[in-house]
């Protein structure tokens, strides 16, 4: 049964007006408190908490022509490939980087997770752009001066063109003719070494001020989109040759993580924040609340339950198991039986990025070997949930935001890896409505607080995103920002989400009143011009 505090209070008041009093109104929900700003990984940081926001360079930065995304999305008349919506000057976030630090201050955030654009630092192989390095120096200095802890992501969905040239999607695993393949992207012969070299450069340059590093952003999701389904550059479609072509790319990308981990540890030896840890290196995974389904209904058929468990393994656990144990699962059969000793113990923290709940079925499976059929991106075949089961449709993304799902996922990670500190390194919603964003903030914090009260070591929440930006294949329509961006002027304007998160971060807790107004699990404030029956969440492949 769905509920929210405001509805319960209203019911209680109504009941009090009648002859038959239904008893005292329910007690308001208690305030939630979060700990002080703490270390992401040191044992002393347990109990502490970060209130932050996240972004990624390609999604926000203007004047960024050396990325695969720029070439891929640029109109053909201008020499690009004309795929999807042109990223152009994105949200103007390069020119405005220092001004945007003020947005973090205004929101009382204590940490900022952002990425450094590899293509900008090294626009051509072995040519390092000193001005770009200096730009990120200035950003990091401004953050440190404002007591905002930088968490730097090294690889967030984009490459320099020389690493992965989207002009020839036929290239596989290595340089091809006419220099059109670049190095072949993740999976390419020299790419692991190049990524490690890049990581060493950044760690040496910024390690005196940065202690927290994320190597890869959502590795499985990224590889599925770029190399599996071809919706991100370079547009390769290897998913349907799963074991032969796609799995080797996963292996190489994880090898790149391990090489970057070692490079950062060697190059960043300065403990900038005094927590006893010079370099805390982790990565972020996208996690999903997978529900077993069949024929558009929740299902307890063992075939569907097995598909759900497989989806959880592939999305949530394959990467973590591989990097903690130093083993890989080349057949995706659930057994990690390939030794990768250099991978072992290369995860100091795990970022969890949660956006939605969705169905997965084992019937009419469309993906070979793993035998599952998810409701996502055009794949349905009965796996999508019916409209009446969809609580919070996010129409511009076509999925359902379901805050409670995060709690169970956090508990699952904590149970399996009790020594691994967790951080919600992204969570947010695409919406035009400030109240919906405020509801998202409070409900996600409620889910995190519930997990923390049960002993789960979650050390922070980074809202995605600080301001509206380029949402990859979806372009500029979905708005994820705490701050609204006017794309004609790049002006930033706070949403109610920024105000509410700012109040919460300033006092490091959620009040009872905020929970009454925005919390619980009842219906969210509707998105204007979108039918409340949420059928647009069923538009996936139907
Ligand atoms: C990615 C972001 C993206 C966000 C919202 C995450 O998967 O890391 O780059 O914008 O989700 O879709």
């Amino acid at each position: 049964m769905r509920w929210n505090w405001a509805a319960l209070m209203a019911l209680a008041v109504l009941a009090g007006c009648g002859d038959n009093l239904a008893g005292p109104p329910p007690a308001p929900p208690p305030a939630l408190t979060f700990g002080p700003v703490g270390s992401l990984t040191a044992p002393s940081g347990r109990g502490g908490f970060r209130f932050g926001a996240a972004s990624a360079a390609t999604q926000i930065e203007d004047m960024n022509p050396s990325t695969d995304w720029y070439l891929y999305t640029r109109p053909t008349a201008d020499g690009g490939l004309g795929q999807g919506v042109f990223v152009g000057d994105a949200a103007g976030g390069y020119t405005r980087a220092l001004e945007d630090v003020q947005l973090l201050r205004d929101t009382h955030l204590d940490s900022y997770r952002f990425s450094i654009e590899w293509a900008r630092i090294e626009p051509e192989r072995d040519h390092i752009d000193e001005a770009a390095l200096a730009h990120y120096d200035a950003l990091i200095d401004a953050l440190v001066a404002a007591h905002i802890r930088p968490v730097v992501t090294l690889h967030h969905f984009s490459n320099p063109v020389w690493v992965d040239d989207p002009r020839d999607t036929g290239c596989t695993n290595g340089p091809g003719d006419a220099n059109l393949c670049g190095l072949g992207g993740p999976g390419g012969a020299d790419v692991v070494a190049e990524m490690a070299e890049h990581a060493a450069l950044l760690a040496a340059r910024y390690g005196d001020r940065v202690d927290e590093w994320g190597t890869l952003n959502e590795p499985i999701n990224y590889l599925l989109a770029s190399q599996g389904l071809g919706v991100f550059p370079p547009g390769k479609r290897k998913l349907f040759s799963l074991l032969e072509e796609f799995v080797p790319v996963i292996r190489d990308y994880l090898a790149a993580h391990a090489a970057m981990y070692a490079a950062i540890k060697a190059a960043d030896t300065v403990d900038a924040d005094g927590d006893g840890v010079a370099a805390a290196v982790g990565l972020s995974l996208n996690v999903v609340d997978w529900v077993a389904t069949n024929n558009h209904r929740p299902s307890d058929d063992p075939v569907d339950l097995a598909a759900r468990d497989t989806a959880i393994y592939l999305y949530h656990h394959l990467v973590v198991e591989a990097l903690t144990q130093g083993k890989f699962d080349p057949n995706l059969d659930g057994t990690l039986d390939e030794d990768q000793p250099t991978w072992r113990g290369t995860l100091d923290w795990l970022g969890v990025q949660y956006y939605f709940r969705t169905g997965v079925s084992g019937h009419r499976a469309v993906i070979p070997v793993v035998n599952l059929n998810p409701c996502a991106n055009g794949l349905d075949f009965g796996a999508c949930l019916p409209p009446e089961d969809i609580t919070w449709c996010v129409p511009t993304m076509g999925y359902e935001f379901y805050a409670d799902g995060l709690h169970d996922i956090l508990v699952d990670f904590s149970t399996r890896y009790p020594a691994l500190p967790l951080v919600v390194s992204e969570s947010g919603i695409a919406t035009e409505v400030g109240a919906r964003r405020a509801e998202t903030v409070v409900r996600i914090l409620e889910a995190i607080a519930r997990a923390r009260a049960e002993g789960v070591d979650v050390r922070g929440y980074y809202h995605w995103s600080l301001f509206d930006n380029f949402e990859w294949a979806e372009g500029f329509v979905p708005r994820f920002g705490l701050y609204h961006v006017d794309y004609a002027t790049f002006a930033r304007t706070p949403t109610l989400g920024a105000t509410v998160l700012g109040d919460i971060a300033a006092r490091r807790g959620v009040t009872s009143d905020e929970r009454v107004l925005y919390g619980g699990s009842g219906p969210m404030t509707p998105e204007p011009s979108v039918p409340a029956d949420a059928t647009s969440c069923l538009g996936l492949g139907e």
Side-chain angles (χ1 to χ4, degrees):
M1 159 117 176
R2 306 208 295 261
W3 57 273
N4 72 8
W5 290 106
L8 278 185
M9 301 290 268
L11 272 177
V13 170
L14 281 176
C17 295
D19 291 338
N20 298 323
L21 292 179
L32 302 173
T33 52
F34 294 80
V37 186
S39 169
L40 207 57
T41 57
S44 61
R46 199 173 177 125
F49 200 73
R50 306 278 181 87
F51 287 99
S55 72
T58 309
Q59 294 180 270
I60 64 169
E61 290 184 355
D62 47 325
M63 304 185 303
N64 196 11
S66 304
T67 65
D68 48 0
W69 276 93
Y70 198 90
L71 177 61
Y72 191 68
T73 60
R74 194 176 195 196
T76 46
D78 298 328
L81 297 179
Q83 299 294 309
V85 175
F86 181 35
V87 59
D89 280 334
Y94 194 69
T95 308
R96 290 158 188 75
L98 299 185
E99 293 161 38
D100 287 337
V101 172
Q102 189 59 41
L103 304 180
L104 294 156
R105 300 177 74 141
D106 292 347
T107 322
H108 307 287
L109 299 176
D110 55 67
S111 186
Y112 184 39
R113 173 177 173 265
F114 63 99
S115 76
I116 291 182
E117 187 73 83
W118 185 8
R120 203 185 268 288
I121 301 289
E122 194 173 358
E124 290 164 33
R125 194 173 188 181
D126 296 331
H127 168 77
I128 302 301
D129 186 331
E130 181 56 37
L133 284 172
H135 166 90
Y136 292 110
D137 269 326
L139 171 61
I140 291 166
D141 285 345
L143 292 170
V144 171
H147 305 288
I148 296 167
R149 293 175 188 227
V151 178
V152 173
T153 308
L154 281 82
H155 202 252
H156 193 133
F157 292 3
S158 62
N159 295 289
V161 170
W162 61 266
V163 171
D164 201 0
D165 192 327
R167 280 172 291 195
D168 184 353
T169 55
C171 301
T172 52
N173 298 342
D177 296 335
N179 294 323
L180 279 184
C181 287
L183 298 185
D190 292 344
V191 174
V192 170
E194 289 292 345
M195 289 177 81
E197 196 179 308
H198 174 61
L201 174 77
L202 298 193
R205 175 85 178 206
Y206 305 121
D208 59 340
R209 289 151 290 162
V210 173
D211 280 356
E212 290 152 358
W213 305 89
T215 56
L216 312 177
N217 182 71
E218 303 187 348
I220 299 295
N221 204 26
Y222 168 62
L223 294 181
L224 275 173
S226 59
Q227 305 254 351
L229 294 165
V231 293
F232 284 8
K236 292 178 185 165
R237 298 201 171 92
K238 298 181 176 177
L239 188 61
F240 299 96
S241 177
L242 190 67
L243 296 185
E244 299 74 22
E245 290 196 66
F246 190 65
V247 168
V249 183
I250 301 178
R251 181 196 285 110
D252 277 30
Y253 205 41
L254 296 184
H257 161 83
M260 291 165 100
Y261 181 96
I264 295 168
K265 290 285 192 181
D268 177 1
T269 52
V270 180
D271 175 11
D273 62 9
D275 67 354
V277 183
V281 186
L283 55 66
S284 295
L285 287 182
N286 67 310
V287 298
V288 174
D289 185 7
W290 295 104
V291 181
T293 47
N294 197 1
N295 284 329
H296 299 118
R297 309 276 0 146
S299 167
D300 57 7
D301 178 328
V303 172
D304 299 316
L305 295 175
R308 178 202 60 193
D309 292 346
T310 301
I312 292 173
Y313 169 65
L314 296 176
Y315 258 67
H316 302 186
H317 297 299
L318 171 61
V319 169
V320 187
E321 294 286 359
L323 301 180
T324 47
Q325 294 183 36
K327 288 177 183 294
F328 188 54
D329 174 1
N331 308 318
L332 300 186
D333 61 0
T335 309
L336 291 103
D337 47 10
E338 178 184 290
D339 280 336
Q340 293 287 351
T342 59
W343 300 5
R344 183 173 302 128
T346 59
L347 213 48
D348 301 333
W349 55 270
L350 177 67
V352 168
Q353 315 203 143
Y354 179 70
Y355 288 91
F356 62 93
R357 162 169 86 167
T358 197
V360 59
S361 174
H363 292 280
R364 286 164 291 167
V366 291
I367 304 177
V369 183
V370 290
N371 297 324
L372 56 81
N373 167 21
C375 169
N377 295 332
L379 302 171
D380 177 5
F381 300 104
C384 294
L385 288 164
E388 61 273 22
D389 286 2
I390 293 196
T391 312
W392 307 340
C393 178
V394 183
T396 55
M397 296 299 288
Y399 54 54
E400 181 197 17
F401 187 86
Y402 179 70
D404 276 357
L406 176 60
H407 165 268
D408 295 359
I409 292 169
L410 291 171
V411 170
D412 182 41
F413 275 110
S414 166
T415 307
R416 292 186 197 225
Y417 320 105
L420 186 60
L422 304 173
V423 57
V424 178
S425 49
E426 284 182 26
S427 190
I429 192 167
T431 181
E432 304 267 348
V433 182
R436 249 166 107 82
R437 185 166 310 286
E439 286 156 359
T440 303
V441 166
V442 171
R443 293 171 192 212
I444 283 292
L445 285 170
E446 288 179 333
I448 293 173
R450 193 147 67 88
R452 278 165 60 92
E454 292 164 17
V456 177
D457 186 13
V458 194
R459 301 194 183 189
Y461 162 63
Y462 291 75
H463 189 85
W464 183 270
S465 186
L466 182 58
F467 46 85
D468 295 336
N469 56 57
F470 175 69
E471 179 52 29
W472 309 115
E474 276 78 27
F476 291 98
V477 170
R479 289 183 174 271
F480 277 93
L482 289 167
Y483 288 79
H484 175 275
V485 171
D486 175 339
Y487 287 112
T489 61
F490 290 136
R492 281 85 161 114
T493 312
T495 67
L496 183 62
T499 311
V500 170
L501 178 56
D503 290 347
I504 290 170
R507 74 170 89 82
R508 309 196 64 74
V510 183
T511 63
S512 177
D513 283 353
E514 283 163 342
R515 296 189 68 190
V516 169
L517 277 172
Y518 307 115
S521 59
M524 294 175 79
T525 303
E527 199 74 44
S529 76
V530 170
D533 65 10
T535 48
S536 53
C537 271
L538 279 183
L540 304 174
E542 295 206 315

